Amino acid sequence: MLSKSSKYAIKAVLFLALNSNDKKKVMVKDISEPINVPQAYIAKLLQKLSRQNIISSSRGRKGGFYLSDNNRKQSIMSIIEVIDGEKNFNSCMLSLKECDEDKPCPLHKTLYPFKSNIIRNLESISIKELALEVELGNAFLPL
Amino acid sequence: MLSKSSKYAIKAVLFLALNSNDKKKVMVKDISEPINVPQAYIAKLLQKLSRQNIISSSRGRKGGFYLSDNNRKQSIMSIIEVIDGEKNFNSCMLSLKECDEDKPCPLHKTLYPFKSNIIRNLESISIKELALEVELGNAFLPL
DNA sequence: ACTAAAATATGATAAAAATCATTTTTAGGA
DNA sequence: TCCTAAAAATGATTTTTATCATATTTTAGT
């Protein structure tokens, strides 16, 4: 469903949402350790997200990654799109090229409604909202 | 979501549902071509399915793959389980080891209901039922 | 029995995804 | 200005997934 990379990225962004702001930057090694993802690997993902303005970064001394207020307004889907390139979600369950309401694959009718709801949710939930759930103790981010 | 292998396998099984029975066996090359999957590759998948009694086969002259009446009663999920090994579906959206109702990951609450419905559907739809949809012209199996 | 046609088994190769290592650029502080 | 700490860039390696190739067994027909 989600690639490992997307999962890592979401975890890292949530970690940043909870532990950073424009005054308080966090460097990769202090992100990679608590979320339990190899440092060099998460660094690459963060750079990609930063280039697409999903997260912010500054380099050099006192540098690090962080989330601005604007960053926090982005949807969870935007993270996935940057990392996985949206292909995964929008494609047919059986990977038939031509699969839509008119010419649905055998699984389309039963599964598409659910899938489409998942997509809609991921598009509508913002980083900020999701982080709030963790702050309120309604959700957890272990390992 | 589904691995390429699972998708191939489902297509092949549906093809067999539509084009074979215990009197009419089909050999790999006559399956691989219409469903557009490399012959040697689909052969491996079919062998795996055959070993787990999802489909039937007989070798030697006049041999081939086919679906018995019992085979057709199997669920679509059973195909996926044989090929992918069920890991993919039952795991948390963020791959956290500990993620359940008590200690949900941030995406659990919003997405689990949909995912769980998808799983339930795949478990309840039989091969026969899905093939019927294609026969009735309600669903298509192109490419 | 023999042969040819089929699945089955095994292992090799290729492609993609994930991980690791090294170098370069940038910016703050002495 | 120069040193150092950080991200950014680049590219190499490993692992997993997908694909290909070859040999082995089984079975029907002669």
Side-chain angles (χ1 to χ4, degrees), chain B residues 2 17 20 27 30 45-46 59 62 67 103 108 113 121:
Chain B
L2 293 179
S20 81
M27 50 187 179
D30 292 331
L45 298 177
L46 290 172
R59 31 205 234 175
K62 283 271 162 188
L67 293 196
K103 222 159 182 295
H108 189 91
N121 269 283

Side-chain angles (χ1 to χ4, degrees), chain A residues 4 8 10-11 16 26 65 67 88 90 102 113 116-117 127:
Chain A
K4 236 174 170 183
Y8 286 174
I10 293 172
K11 284 207 277 181
L16 283 175
V26 188
F65 293 96
L67 292 197
N88 284 332
N90 291 350
D102 283 344
S116 137
N117 265 312
I127 293 166

Side-chain angles (χ1 to χ4, degrees), chain A residues 93 107 111, chain B residues 1-2 6 9-10 13 49 52 54 71-91 115-127 129-130:
Chain A
M93 295 282 293
L107 291 177
L111 299 190
Chain B
M1 186 125 219
L2 293 179
S6 280
I10 293 171
V13 170
L49 291 169
Q52 307 298 319
I54 307 291
N71 291 150
R72 287 168 207 269
K73 293 179 188 153
Q74 309 270 344
S75 72
I76 299 300
M77 185 54 102
S78 68
I79 300 173
I80 300 170
E81 274 166 5
V82 166
I83 302 297
D84 282 352
E86 80 179 294
K87 51 184 183 305
N88 285 333
F89 270 92
N90 291 349
S91 76
K115 216 181 87 178
S116 133
N117 264 312
I118 290 182
I119 295 173
R120 206 156 338 123
N121 269 283
L122 289 174
E123 281 169 350
S124 71
I125 304 175
S126 69
I127 294 167
E129 283 164 350
L130 211 55

Side-chain angles (χ1 to χ4, degrees), chain B residues 40-119:
Chain B
Y41 192 51
I42 197 64
K44 262 192 179 172
L45 298 177
L46 290 172
Q47 281 157 26
K48 220 169 168 181
L49 291 169
S50 174
R51 250 177 280 132
Q52 307 298 319
N53 294 108
I54 307 291
I55 68 175
S56 307
S57 69
S58 70
R59 31 205 234 175
R61 270 206 152 195
K62 283 271 162 188
F65 293 96
Y66 64 99
L67 293 196
S68 69
D69 287 352
N70 267 328
N71 291 150
R72 287 168 207 269
K73 293 179 188 153
Q74 309 270 344
S75 72
I76 299 300
M77 185 54 102
S78 68
I79 300 173
I80 300 170
E81 274 166 5
V82 166
I83 302 297
D84 282 352
E86 80 179 294
K87 51 184 183 305
N88 285 333
F89 270 92
N90 291 349
S91 76
C92 155
M93 294 282 294
L94 291 181
S95 291
L96 307 183
K97 200 59 208 161
E98 203 191 342
C99 171
D100 50 32
E101 289 306 319
D102 284 344
K103 222 159 182 295
C105 83
L107 292 178
H108 189 91
K109 209 169 296 175
T110 22
L111 300 191
Y112 188 71
F114 301 114
K115 216 181 87 178
S116 133
N117 264 312
I118 290 182
I119 295 173

Side-chain angles (χ1 to χ4, degrees), chain A residues 1 21 30 38-39 61 65 77-78 93 100 105 113 131 135:
Chain A
M1 184 127 222
N21 55 57
D30 293 331
Q39 169 170 345
R61 272 207 154 196
F65 293 96
M77 186 55 102
S78 68
M93 295 282 293
D100 50 31
C105 83
E135 277 169 347

Side-chain angles (χ1 to χ4, degrees), chain A residues 38-53:
Chain A
Q39 169 170 345
Y41 192 50
I42 197 65
K44 260 193 181 172
L45 298 177
L46 290 172
Q47 282 157 23
K48 218 168 170 184
L49 291 170
S50 175
R51 249 177 281 135
Q52 307 298 319
N53 295 107

Side-chain angles (χ1 to χ4, degrees), chain A residues 127-141:
Chain A
I127 293 166
K128 183 196 245 174
E129 283 164 349
L130 210 55
L132 185 61
E133 287 296 297
V134 179
E135 277 169 347
L136 293 175
N138 295 333
F140 302 87
L141 209 49

